[in-house]
Amino acid sequence: LFEQQAQALVEALDRHGRVSRRVLDVLGAHVTGEMPDVGDMARALAMSKRSLQRQLRDEGTSFRALVDELRRE
């Protein structure tokens, strides 16, 4: 079961750009706790909230989409 979940996460990471992968890594650490908001995530990645949103948009995704994807998985 754990191997299947790990494989699914690896495959999800392969579908995303560099910033998206970093966001998913941080979100993955919070799966059992409270999910950080976009401002918390930006601070964790040492960038501004606007820069994070812009870079995710350039990769064709958003913070909300990544959170929703992680919850579905």
Side-chain angles (χ1 to χ4, degrees):
L1 180 64
F2 290 122
E3 287 179 24
Q4 290 172 344
Q5 288 176 334
Q7 184 61 35
L9 288 173
V10 167
E11 289 170 5
L13 291 176
D14 290 340
R15 292 190 308 260
H16 298 290
R18 192 176 127 247
V19 175
S20 299
R21 276 187 244 138
R22 290 175 60 201
V23 169
L24 288 170
D25 286 344
V26 174
L27 287 175
H30 291 88
V31 169
T32 59
E34 183 177 332
M35 286 286 188
D37 64 16
V38 69
D40 295 333
M41 181 61 60
R43 280 188 292 283
L45 299 177
M47 62 177 63
S48 72
K49 178 179 170 181
R50 181 71 185 115
S51 291
L52 174 59
Q53 291 170 325
R54 185 175 40 255
Q55 289 183 32
L56 290 174
R57 184 188 66 229
D58 291 346
E59 293 180 3
T61 191
S62 68
F63 181 74
R64 174 61 41 211
L66 293 173
V67 169
D68 290 345
E69 180 179 333
L70 187 65
R71 285 181 176 153
R72 276 192 307 272
E73 291 178 6

